[in-house]
Amino acid sequence: MKDINYYQKLINNGKNAAKKYRRECADIQTRMSADKRFNILLSNTETLKANLVTNDPKPVIRTRFPKENTQNPQEKQLARAVGEIVERTTIFVRDNFDCKSVFEDIITKALLFGRGVPRVKYEPIIESEGDPAAERIGAQEIKIESVDYDEILIQNVKKWDKVGWVAFRHLMTKDDLKKRFGEEYAENIELGFTEEKNEKKESDKDKESFAEVWEIWDKTDKKVVFIAVGYDQIISEDDDPYGLKNFFPIPEPLQFFKGKDLRPVPEFRHYSKIVDALEETCRRIDAQVKNIRSSAIAAAKDKETLEALNASEDNSIVTINQSLGQLSAAGGLRAMIMEYPNDEKIRVLQTLETEKTQRLMEIYEITGIADIMRGQSDPDDTARAQEIKGKFGSLRIQARQANVQNTIKECFKIITELVCEHYTRENLSAASSIFLPTEEEKKAIEAQMFFAQARAQATGQPFTMPAQMQSALEQPSWEDVLKTLRNDKLRNYTIEVESTATVFDGDRKNVEDRLNLFKFVNDILREVLPLMQQNLEFIPAVKAQILYTIDAFPQSRILKEAFEESFAAWEARVRQPQPPQPSAEIMLASAEQMKAQADQMTAQARMAEAQTKALAVGKKIELDEAGLIKDMQKDKADTAIKAGNLKIEEQKAAGNLMLQAQKMPQLKRGN
């Protein structure tokens, strides 16, 4: 059983072991902020940080291969749902704090102090509504903090997985103690710690005192213990609060230089003596520049001439009282004045400048900045030369970038674990905007569909399940998702965590990579689809090749799932059983039968054509006969009309004759 004496001894030994390192870090911090003419430490740190700071990193959750290739659609859909829920929730967590600034600070501390420590904090809000028995978890918050060099102690061992304890320091006021641990501890714990930075600026009367509280994460006992310096009791002792795989709320600290153990090695330690020499050289250069003067002495008799010459403007002529021959014989102007002796000082200054340049190059070689400088391209360089320079300039710094990337990835792994272990169904749904049915809701839908189907059968009407209800039944339930998330083995089997790339992978390269991927997929499909249709055994290999290539791209799950579905549909279609091929005799008989049928159809067509022609001829004859009859009838009618007209004319003539005959006697009597 570990008591207060064990933990106090642990903290005291850790502080003593870190005393020299903390003094070194304090000196580095002072140098970093010093107002100097040439602050090489500040310059180097900012240059290296610009090449290490990531773009706003995002987590990428991928389903592992066994779940991707499963033939069970329910398992595949569950794996995808779990991956998408966790990814969206982790991105939501990341968006709730300034992730980029936190990692910038971690990288800065790793460059300055040899170690950057990110700490993941999980803070649930308990809601009780006045009834302690009705307590429940409300909002849940996860964030990453950057731990200062003097606020953490880590057991000194050779490898991170052998670390047994980590301790975090908290400086608390009396109000902080009361709020965190209660009034009893606030009254009894001594406030005896004073920050050093305040001691130089404030009097003892104005200094604010704190309680030095240490939060110890004991991995061997899976406990978190709080103790205070000068207090002889353990303040609190809790079982593992997070349930993380590696217990600690921090990943392995970010260190660019490592010795034989985990003790941090500030980079400045490797070139601090060169910086001291550089600063001394710069001081001497400044003093030498002050001693270089543009002054001269002359005889009093030449004062008027020299003043006139000194006051003259360009392209002007100054006259003197003596002839030029006399002035030349006397040695000219050089004989009239004597310059201040600067030649030796200038040679010394040039030597100092050369020494300064050499010191700078030594520092740049140690820090790797020289590689960045060599990687800078010239506008006149060819594209190939610029590419070679760019690659060479990033060779040494790529190891640092890999360390940064791994630290970010491990932080997201811890966040993912906390999400899987502790987030409630309500918060997962709200953060991910994914809404799945519960088992109870799925049973209610099934019951509703059963009665609807029974009513349809009773009335003799067709039954069709609504698409919305069908989709709800096919989706995994929240109980299945939570079971997968809470079960460590299932969770690790289902998802893995990555993060997006660092700043060196720019937008232009991403666009080029995507275009190359598009071309690769199109080319391979164009070439192998015909082959796969005839050789189905190649389908798994080609499918794996395409999905393996797509999987290299962050956030490619949607594209990957689309290809999986397309391959599945295409494979199901090409694998459908084909009807058996008939024998040669059957095919020959079938061909003869088809030929006979074709001949019969040809004969029938010819007969139909002849009948059509005969009908056409008969029709024509009928039409001709009808015309002839019509003409005859017309002629007959015309003849009848003519005969009638003739008869009328005859009758008129007869009538006229009769009238004339009647008039003849009368004429005779008149005579």
Side-chain angles (χ1 to χ4, degrees):
M1 183 67 181
K2 298 175 181 177
D3 56 9
I4 184 63
N5 293 325
Y6 170 84
Y7 291 113
Q8 286 181 342
K9 184 177 180 181
L10 183 146
I11 294 299
N12 289 334
N13 291 341
K15 290 168 67 175
N16 290 332
K19 188 177 295 184
K20 181 179 179 181
Y21 165 72
R22 291 186 175 184
R23 284 199 301 265
E24 185 178 12
C25 291
D27 177 64
I28 292 173
Q29 196 165 29
T30 302
R31 285 174 175 260
M32 179 70 174
S33 57
D35 184 12
K36 297 182 178 180
R37 184 178 68 86
F38 187 22
N39 193 334
I40 188 64
L41 177 59
L42 174 62
S43 174
N44 288 352
T45 303
E46 293 300 317
T47 300
L48 292 171
K49 185 172 71 172
N51 288 274
L52 295 175
V53 170
T54 64
N55 292 324
D56 199 8
K58 296 180 181 179
V60 179
I61 312 297
R62 303 178 185 273
T63 53
R64 293 187 185 272
F65 291 110
K67 291 298 182 183
E68 291 173 357
N69 300 327
T70 180
Q71 299 301 316
N72 188 329
Q74 285 78 19
E75 287 187 10
K76 182 178 290 187
Q77 197 163 9
L78 175 61
R80 290 177 177 176
V82 169
E84 190 167 0
I85 288 171
V86 175
E87 180 175 292
R88 290 191 183 188
T89 305
T90 308
I91 291 175
F92 175 82
V93 169
R94 185 216 59 165
D95 291 342
N96 282 340
F97 67 93
D98 192 352
C99 185
K100 184 176 181 180
S101 296
V102 170
F103 282 114
E104 281 185 9
D105 189 61
I106 293 167
I107 293 170
T108 301
K109 289 173 180 175
L111 291 171
L112 285 175
F113 311 128
R115 182 171 68 188
V117 183
R119 177 179 180 179
V120 182
K121 278 192 170 184
Y122 166 65
E123 298 176 355
I125 298 176
I126 306 299
E127 298 176 351
S128 61
E129 298 180 357
D131 183 9
E135 287 186 351
R136 67 180 186 87
I137 297 177
Q140 294 169 289
E141 182 180 282
I142 302 175
K143 60 183 179 180
I144 302 176
E145 295 180 349
S146 176
V147 184
D148 289 336
Y149 70 87
D150 56 350
E151 292 183 349
I152 186 171
L153 295 174
I154 300 176
Q155 183 183 12
N156 184 32
V157 290
K158 291 186 177 181
K159 294 184 178 180
W160 173 250
D161 57 4
K162 302 298 182 182
V163 173
W165 60 269
V166 172
F168 302 95
R169 189 186 71 175
H170 304 279
L171 299 181
M172 294 186 170
T173 63
K174 183 167 289 189
D175 291 339
D176 296 333
L177 291 170
K178 184 177 180 180
K179 183 179 180 180
R180 178 66 177 82
F181 303 112
E183 187 172 356
E184 179 182 354
Y185 290 106
E187 294 297 330
N188 294 327
I189 294 177
E190 179 184 358
L191 304 180
F193 183 87
T194 304
E195 290 185 289
E196 294 180 0
K197 61 182 181 181
N198 292 332
E199 291 179 353
K200 299 178 181 179
K201 299 179 181 180
E202 302 174 355
S203 63
D204 293 339
K205 183 179 180 180
D206 297 330
K207 292 175 184 176
E208 184 178 7
S209 296
F210 301 90
E212 187 179 0
V213 178
W214 285 90
E215 174 188 357
I216 306 171
W217 287 65
D218 189 349
K219 186 176 182 179
T220 55
D221 291 348
K222 299 288 185 180
K223 291 184 179 295
V224 178
V225 179
F226 282 86
I227 67 170
V229 175
Y231 188 66
D232 59 357
Q233 294 181 20
I234 293 177
I235 301 176
S236 70
E237 186 175 5
D238 301 315
D239 293 329
D240 184 2
Y242 289 176
L244 300 174
K245 179 181 178 181
N246 295 320
F247 180 71
F248 297 124
I250 62 173
E252 181 176 358
L254 177 61
Q255 294 183 225
F256 299 127
F257 294 92
K258 295 181 180 180
K260 61 180 180 180
D261 49 32
L262 294 179
R263 283 179 294 187
V265 180
E267 185 173 1
F268 186 69
R269 183 186 300 175
H270 294 289
Y271 63 92
S272 60
K273 293 182 179 179
I274 304 176
V275 172
D276 292 338
L278 176 63
E279 291 178 352
E280 175 63 19
T281 300
C282 291
R283 186 194 64 78
R284 293 181 60 190
I285 289 174
D286 291 342
Q288 200 71 11
V289 169
K290 291 179 180 179
N291 286 329
I292 296 176
R293 302 177 182 179
S294 180
S295 302
I297 58 175
K301 65 182 181 65
D302 299 323
K303 178 180 179 182
E304 184 177 348
T305 300
L306 293 174
E307 286 181 350
L309 181 63
N310 191 45
S312 64
E313 298 180 356
D314 291 341
N315 299 322
S316 60
I317 299 175
V318 178
T319 58
I320 57 177
N321 295 328
Q322 55 183 329
S323 67
L324 293 179
Q326 293 175 339
L327 178 61
S328 177
L333 286 175
R334 291 184 178 276
M336 297 174 63
I337 59 175
M338 184 178 293
E339 295 283 349
Y340 187 84
N342 288 322
D343 294 342
E344 291 298 328
K345 294 181 175 61
I346 291 174
R347 281 193 289 271
V348 172
L349 180 61
Q350 291 173 343
T351 303
L352 291 175
E353 289 290 349
T354 302
E355 182 180 354
K356 174 186 173 183
T357 302
Q358 291 175 349
R359 301 292 187 192
L360 285 175
M361 292 309 301
E362 289 179 18
I363 295 172
Y364 291 157
E365 290 289 349
I366 293 173
T367 59
I369 294 177
D371 292 341
I372 300 175
M373 295 170 63
R374 282 192 288 267
Q376 293 175 351
S377 61
D378 190 298
D380 297 330
D381 286 341
T382 63
R384 180 59 179 167
Q386 291 182 356
E387 181 181 357
I388 293 173
K389 283 187 175 183
K391 288 182 178 180
F392 181 79
S394 63
L395 285 177
R396 288 181 63 189
I397 206 168
Q398 284 178 357
R400 300 191 186 213
Q401 291 176 338
N403 286 341
V404 172
Q405 185 75 358
N406 185 68
T407 300
I408 295 172
K409 177 179 177 180
E410 293 301 318
C411 287
F412 282 135
K413 276 190 174 182
I414 295 176
I415 292 177
T416 301
E417 283 194 75
L418 291 173
V419 167
C420 294
E421 289 286 349
H422 299 285
Y423 261 51
T424 63
R425 186 194 75 190
E426 294 78 11
N427 287 334
L428 285 172
S429 180
S432 65
S433 297
I434 293 178
F435 305 97
L436 300 175
T438 62
E439 287 290 349
E440 184 178 353
E441 291 171 344
K442 293 181 75 170
K443 290 179 180 179
I445 293 174
E446 290 174 350
Q448 184 179 356
M449 291 300 98
F450 175 79
F451 289 116
Q453 188 175 8
R455 286 194 300 269
Q457 291 177 353
T459 58
Q461 297 178 351
F463 172 76
T464 303
M465 181 179 292
Q468 186 175 2
M469 293 185 176
Q470 179 68 29
S471 175
L473 292 177
E474 292 175 353
Q475 290 179 337
S477 66
W478 272 113
E479 285 78 3
D480 293 334
V481 170
L482 292 175
K483 180 181 177 181
T484 304
L485 293 180
R486 302 295 191 248
N487 189 317
D488 186 71
K489 292 182 180 179
L490 289 178
R491 183 173 71 240
N492 287 333
Y493 183 66
T494 303
I495 59 176
E496 59 182 351
V497 181
E498 295 182 5
S499 65
T500 51
T502 56
V503 71
F504 260 65
D505 295 326
D507 294 337
R508 182 176 179 181
K509 185 177 183 301
N510 289 334
V511 171
E512 292 176 354
D513 290 343
R514 295 189 184 205
L515 292 176
N516 291 335
L517 172 66
F518 178 78
K519 184 177 183 303
F520 162 77
V521 173
N522 283 346
D523 290 346
I524 196 171
L525 289 178
R526 188 183 304 108
E527 293 177 3
V528 303
L529 277 179
L531 174 66
M532 290 191 298
Q533 287 178 335
Q534 299 178 1
N535 302 275
L536 302 182
E537 62 272 13
F538 285 101
I539 293 178
V542 176
K543 177 182 176 182
Q545 184 180 8
I546 293 177
L547 296 181
Y548 179 79
T549 305
I550 296 174
D551 197 52
F553 287 78
Q555 298 176 317
S556 60
R557 185 180 60 246
I558 297 176
L559 179 62
K560 189 175 178 181
E561 292 175 359
F563 267 100
E564 286 181 345
E565 294 173 359
S566 299
F567 262 114
W570 179 81
E571 186 176 358
R573 178 167 56 82
V574 298
R575 288 186 182 274
Q576 286 181 351
Q578 302 295 327
Q581 295 293 332
S583 63
E585 293 79 2
I586 296 176
M587 293 178 66
L588 180 61
S590 177
E592 291 178 352
Q593 183 180 0
M594 291 175 64
K595 185 176 182 300
Q597 290 176 353
D599 293 341
Q600 184 180 358
M601 292 175 65
T602 302
Q604 291 175 352
R606 289 176 179 174
M607 185 180 295
E609 184 180 1
Q611 291 175 353
T612 302
K613 290 182 179 179
L615 289 173
V617 172
K619 187 70 174 176
K620 183 178 180 182
I621 293 172
E622 290 178 358
L623 291 174
D624 292 343
E625 289 178 352
L628 182 60
I629 294 170
K630 185 177 179 182
D631 292 341
M632 291 174 64
Q633 290 176 349
K634 183 179 179 182
D635 292 342
K636 186 177 180 180
D638 291 342
T639 303
I641 293 171
K642 290 179 179 179
N645 291 335
L646 181 61
K647 189 176 182 179
I648 293 171
E649 293 294 331
E650 289 177 351
Q651 289 177 355
K652 286 182 178 181
N656 291 330
L657 290 174
M658 290 178 68
L659 288 174
Q660 290 177 359
Q662 291 175 359
K663 290 179 179 180
M664 287 298 293
Q666 294 177 359
L667 290 173
K668 290 179 176 181
R669 284 192 296 268
N671 294 327

